Every structure is written in structure tokens, then in C-alpha cells.
Amino acid sequence: MSEGDSVGDSVHGKPSVVYRFFTRLGQIYQSWLDKSTPYTAVRWVVTLGLSFVYMIRVYLLQGWYIVTYALGIYHLNLFIAFLSPKVDPSLMEDSDDGPSLPTKQNEEFRPFIRRLPEFKFWHAATKGILVAMICTFFEAFNVPVFWPILVMYFIMLFCITMKRQIKHMIKYRYIPFTHGKRRYKGKEDVGKTFAS
């Protein structure tokens, strides 16, 4: 392989200016993401604010309904992945390989591990809103549709999908929201001590 053949290399073997620029930009972006990790409520408030701005933009422009429908389907898909366990219990039913969710009271506690963690859910949802917002600046994405049909279809799809997810949760006895291991109180201390 000669000099300059690898990705991002210039003719002299040093990374090109464009490659260094985008590498640095990616590092800054990752740094901001890392700093925002502990601020869950703030992140979601910003995302809801962006969503509200997007909805106002679509309402004022009276268009881009198909983009909004695609965004809704994408968010529904993310939400289902957020509610689903990392290891699907229906696939683990027949085999004894790997961990499974506890189904009896005396089984060992295992925390609920999501297929899509909260941070990745937030990050993907926010990126989806930003991409949809950018799409509203291009007339090519303004496909004329009768929007009430899209709304009814989305509501129907949401109800069917959530019904299936709730049935799955009931069948395999898991709750996607855990706050740690349940603690049981022992016998109350009556304060008596043994005197010798």
C-alpha cells in the first residue's frame, strides 16, 4: 500500500485537514453527549421542546405530513425497543442457554435490561426530530397526502403495537420499569437485650 491510500491520509502520510476537522468535530460532539448523560430530565425537556417547535413548524407550514408520520413511526419503534427486554423470553423458552427473567417469587432478582437503553433512546429520538426538522426545509419532502388518514392509521398502529407489547409483558411477567431489588422488612427489633 503506498502513501496516501489509507482513509484520511494525505499524500505525505499525515491526516488531511478535512479528516482532522471531522475527527475533532466528532470528539467535541461525543464530549457534549458524555457531559449530558447524568441530566436525564433536562435532556428530555430539550427533546420535548424540539418536538413542540417541530409540531408548530408543521402546523404553520400546513405540509410535510408524511415526514411527520415517518417520525411518529420511528419514535414508536424506538419506544417498543425501549420497553422490550434485551433477551426476548419467548426465544429463551425452549433453550436453557443464558439468563432469563424471573417468573417465580423465590427466583433470584435480575434487573430489567432493555434492548434500547434510555440514553440511546433519547439520542435517537432527538436525532430523528432534527432530521425531520431539516426535511421541512426541502419542498421535495412535502408529499401531498390526506393527513387525517395518516393520523387514524398511526393511532391504529400504536394501539395494536402496544396491545401486543402489553400481552408479551403479561405472558412473560416482566415490568420494564424497575427501581432496584425489592426489600423486605424482617422481624421488628423489640429492643430487648440479653443480660448476663
Side-chain angles (χ1 to χ4, degrees):
M1 192 192 262
S2 65
E3 287 185 34
D5 285 348
S6 63
V7 176
D9 283 353
S10 67
V11 178
H12 303 291
K14 295 180 183 177
S16 67
V17 175
V18 174
Y19 178 77
R20 285 185 291 163
F21 171 76
F22 283 110
T23 301
R24 182 67 185 136
L25 195 65
Q27 290 171 345
I28 292 170
Y29 177 69
Q30 188 62 47
S31 171
W32 279 99
L33 282 178
D34 293 342
K35 289 177 184 175
S36 72
T37 301
Y39 305 106
T40 306
V42 174
R43 285 188 282 116
W44 282 104
V45 165
V46 169
T47 299
L48 289 175
L50 277 173
S51 182
F52 184 69
V53 168
Y54 173 76
M55 286 185 227
I56 289 174
R57 178 164 172 76
V58 168
Y59 176 75
L60 293 176
L61 293 175
Q62 294 293 311
W64 287 271
Y65 301 120
I66 201 79
V67 173
T68 305
Y69 175 73
L71 178 64
I73 296 294
Y74 180 64
H75 282 174
L76 179 62
N77 187 21
L78 291 174
F79 186 61
I80 294 300
F82 177 72
L83 292 178
S84 300
K86 187 173 186 175
V87 179
D88 191 1
S90 63
L91 300 176
M92 300 300 291
E93 204 170 59
D94 297 331
S95 76
D96 293 330
D97 301 335
S100 63
L101 295 171
T103 56
K104 297 184 178 113
Q105 197 69 357
N106 60 354
E107 283 190 24
E108 177 186 347
F109 171 77
R110 291 185 188 99
F112 183 80
I113 301 172
R114 301 177 187 287
R115 186 167 23 139
L116 182 67
E118 180 273 331
F119 184 80
K120 288 183 179 181
F121 177 37
W122 166 79
H123 189 233
T126 305
K127 285 193 303 186
I129 293 168
L130 291 174
V131 167
M133 185 88 71
I134 290 169
C135 287
T136 61
F137 288 99
F138 299 99
E139 195 63 36
F141 296 110
N142 190 10
V143 179
V145 292
F146 187 59
W147 65 267
I149 291 176
L150 289 179
V151 171
M152 291 304 296
Y153 186 65
F154 179 77
I155 290 170
M156 185 176 67
L157 189 65
F158 178 82
C159 292
I160 291 170
T161 307
M162 289 308 295
K163 180 181 176 185
R164 189 187 72 205
Q165 185 67 27
I166 291 170
K167 280 184 176 180
H168 190 268
M169 290 163 56
I170 291 169
K171 181 177 180 181
Y172 294 103
R173 297 184 183 132
Y174 67 89
I175 300 173
F177 304 104
T178 57
H179 298 288
K181 186 175 180 177
R182 183 180 291 173
R183 297 182 189 269
Y184 299 98
K185 288 186 178 181
K187 294 182 181 178
E188 290 188 29
D189 186 15
V190 292
K192 296 180 184 176
T193 57
F194 292 105
S196 14

